Amino acid sequence: MTPPIIEARGIHKHFGALHVLKGVDLIVAERELVFVIGPSGSGKSTLLRCLNRLEEPTSGAIRIDGIDLLHKATDINRVRQRIGMVFQSFNLYPHMTALGNVTLALRKVAGRRRADADTIGRDALARVGLADRADHYPGQLSGGQQQRVAIARAIALEPRVMLFDEPTSALDPELVGSVLAVMRALRESGMTMVVVSHEMGFARAAADRVLFMDEGLIVEQGPPAQIFGTPREERTRTFIGQIQRH
């Protein structure tokens, strides 16, 4: 049996007296798309950030693609090349073109020559439907286009895993579809993805598994049809009922 690509065990995270994650276990198989839902403050984004050590877990164990993330000998910057991350804010450099933003890590982190980086970067922009925007600056792009540049920047490093933290929440509603279309194409290409988002329609259509988190714990998980249609736990039922009314 193939080992999981993500294996997090007993993850606790404290911010001072605040206990945000309370012993979370997360196992993700290769090529799986796992969707994490739950109310604000439930620990979803903190869990995601622990998976690439943007937040240091207080305790627990994390292995990504067979590498012990928390071992003191682990070169976290090297491992992060395997873990693409897309945030709510696009975090693009305004003084660099779309291509410049995409190729920066290829040159500075992966050590690619500029010509190679440009070729890879243009391919990545083409994958997100922005081949014709390579020379545009972020200020010349819509929010949806900027987020797609951010996705291109992540996939240019050929990560094994993609983490998405509320990738559409800063976008106007009419721009959300273009970003979800890129995520759907990534899904179809076999990318392993963990997505924190409120896009429940996308979760129903694309996820292999949905996790419901509340108060720092995974309360329930299962296929989308179960979580959205026949949740077992009362807290899940209440949350699903609330979002379906909106």
Side-chain angles (χ1 to χ4, degrees):
M1 187 172 159
T2 310
I5 195 163
I6 298 175
E7 185 174 8
R9 301 278 185 189
I11 301 300
H12 286 263
K13 178 62 182 177
H14 294 264
F15 292 100
L18 189 63
H19 196 177
V20 178
L21 297 176
K22 302 173 181 174
V24 174
D25 294 335
L26 175 64
I27 307 295
V28 180
E30 196 163 356
R31 305 173 73 92
E32 190 176 20
L33 195 167
V34 174
F35 218 92
V36 186
I37 64 172
S40 295
S42 58
K44 308 183 299 294
S45 292
T46 301
L47 173 61
L48 215 58
R49 292 170 69 85
C50 283
L51 293 179
N52 69 355
R53 273 182 55 196
L54 282 174
E55 297 289 355
E56 290 287 345
T58 306
S59 61
I62 301 173
R63 294 185 80 83
I64 303 276
D65 200 18
I67 297 167
D68 180 349
L69 221 64
L70 304 181
H71 194 281
K72 60 180 180 294
T74 296
D75 180 346
I76 188 61
N77 290 321
R78 195 174 182 85
V79 177
R80 281 193 186 129
Q81 292 182 50
R82 302 177 182 223
I83 310 168
M85 181 127 189
V86 177
F87 301 89
Q88 179 176 340
S89 54
F90 320 126
N91 297 331
L92 300 179
Y93 290 104
H95 64 287
M96 300 177 92
T97 62
L99 183 62
N101 272 280
V102 171
T103 58
L104 184 64
L106 283 167
R107 292 188 292 110
K108 301 294 188 190
V109 179
R112 299 286 191 143
R113 293 193 315 245
R114 183 177 289 275
D116 291 344
D118 284 356
T119 299
I120 295 165
R122 288 183 187 280
D123 286 347
L125 285 168
R127 282 183 71 184
V128 301
L130 293 175
D132 59 340
R133 296 289 192 274
D135 298 324
H136 286 57
Y137 290 88
Q140 299 171 303
L141 302 172
S142 71
Q145 289 169 333
Q146 289 183 60
Q147 189 61 295
R148 283 149 61 197
V149 172
I151 294 172
R153 176 178 58 191
I155 63 175
L157 288 165
E158 298 186 346
R160 300 276 286 127
V161 172
M162 284 284 287
L163 309 176
F164 290 88
D165 188 9
E166 302 279 8
T168 59
S169 62
L171 300 178
D172 293 333
E174 68 269 21
L175 302 176
V176 168
S178 66
V179 173
L180 294 182
V182 169
M183 293 172 68
R184 201 169 270 119
L186 277 179
R187 162 95 177 86
E188 287 163 5
S189 75
M191 179 64 74
T192 305
M193 298 161 67
V194 182
V195 182
V196 169
S197 176
H198 295 290
E199 295 293 338
M200 300 302 165
F202 182 65
R204 288 173 194 264
D208 294 300
R209 187 159 44 108
V210 176
L211 310 183
F212 171 65
M213 282 188 72
D214 193 22
E215 296 182 0
L217 292 164
I218 295 174
V219 174
E220 184 171 356
Q221 58 182 298
Q226 176 207 315
I227 298 298
F228 292 112
T230 54
R232 298 191 185 103
E233 300 293 329
E234 182 59 38
R235 280 150 82 189
T236 317
R237 283 197 291 274
T238 302
F239 178 76
I240 297 297
Q242 286 170 341
I243 59 173
Q244 287 175 341
R245 281 198 296 275
H246 290 303

